[in-house]
Amino acid sequence: MATCPSGHESADDDFCDVCGFAIGPMDVRGAAAPPTVPRPVIPAPQAPGPRMPSGAGWTAVVSADRAYYDSVQATNRPGAGGISFPVACPQLRFRLAGAEVRVGRLSAHSGIDPEIDLSGPPSDPGVSRLHAVLLEAADGSWSVVDPGSANGTLVNGTEIPRRQIVPLRDGDRIHLGAWTELRIVREG
């Protein structure tokens, strides 16, 4: 049993079963590090591209992505045929602040109140209550981890392994659910 920063007891050593917060600092493989070890700096990605400089303001821009929706429909997953693309879906902007930013759907029953709440309307039925977590590194850069969502998470079109921290760059696109896109942008 482990205890999260909010004081919940959890059988999961990586993420709280109740609120979804990381339990202890995370290493680059997504496993919880011993509580006495400070959160390590996540190494720069091997692919070319600028790292997010420290002190910059970062925003997650949330929108409905028709091309992603069409690709999900093409997979013929069970239940996908019953999901319609939203007629209207306003673009939302969430300023990234704090060490962790949880992405998902509000669930009073489960005690999950994500900082980026995708409950809608419209509500993307493919988004888990705790679908992803954005993590800020000591150098001001951001990463994403899928703590075990039901439908997976993609970064720039590639599905990321569950519980593995993936560094992000300005303009990276995170897809989740049936149509939801989060674009990570530097502002200011």
Side-chain angles (χ1 to χ4, degrees):
M1 290 295 241
T3 304
C4 80
S6 299
H8 301 117
E9 291 285 323
S10 177
D12 188 330
D13 290 335
D14 295 331
F15 292 92
C16 176
D17 294 330
V18 176
C19 67
F21 275 112
I23 297 176
M26 303 293 288
D27 71 14
V28 295
R29 294 178 312 276
T36 58
V37 178
R39 181 184 293 248
V41 174
I42 298 169
Q46 298 299 317
R51 288 292 289 160
M52 298 182 215
S54 180
W58 294 94
T59 300
V61 180
V62 179
S63 60
D65 182 339
R66 181 62 192 226
Y68 175 62
Y69 168 81
D70 290 342
S71 72
V72 169
Q73 291 298 307
T75 65
N76 292 323
R77 287 186 191 172
I83 299 173
S84 300
F85 189 76
V87 174
C89 188
Q91 186 182 80
L92 302 172
R93 302 175 80 77
F94 295 88
R95 184 79 167 184
L96 301 184
E100 293 183 4
V101 177
R102 296 168 299 162
V103 180
R105 293 182 294 116
L106 176 66
S107 173
H109 174 73
S110 300
I112 296 174
D113 187 8
E115 290 75 23
I116 298 180
D117 182 7
L118 302 175
S119 297
S123 181
D124 183 335
V127 174
S128 297
R129 287 180 181 87
L130 178 62
H131 200 106
V133 181
L134 300 171
L135 302 169
E136 184 181 28
D139 67 356
S141 66
W142 287 87
S143 297
V144 63
V145 64
D146 181 326
S149 70
N151 296 314
T153 303
L154 287 77
V155 173
N156 297 324
T158 302
E159 188 162 359
I160 63 173
R162 285 178 170 80
R163 300 184 182 273
Q164 181 174 327
I165 295 174
V166 176
L168 298 170
R169 297 183 309 245
D170 185 18
D172 279 353
R173 297 168 15 137
I174 301 169
H175 285 103
L176 45 114
W179 65 71
T180 303
E181 176 187 274
L182 279 75
R183 192 168 35 90
I184 306 302
V185 296
R186 179 178 178 211
E187 295 185 335

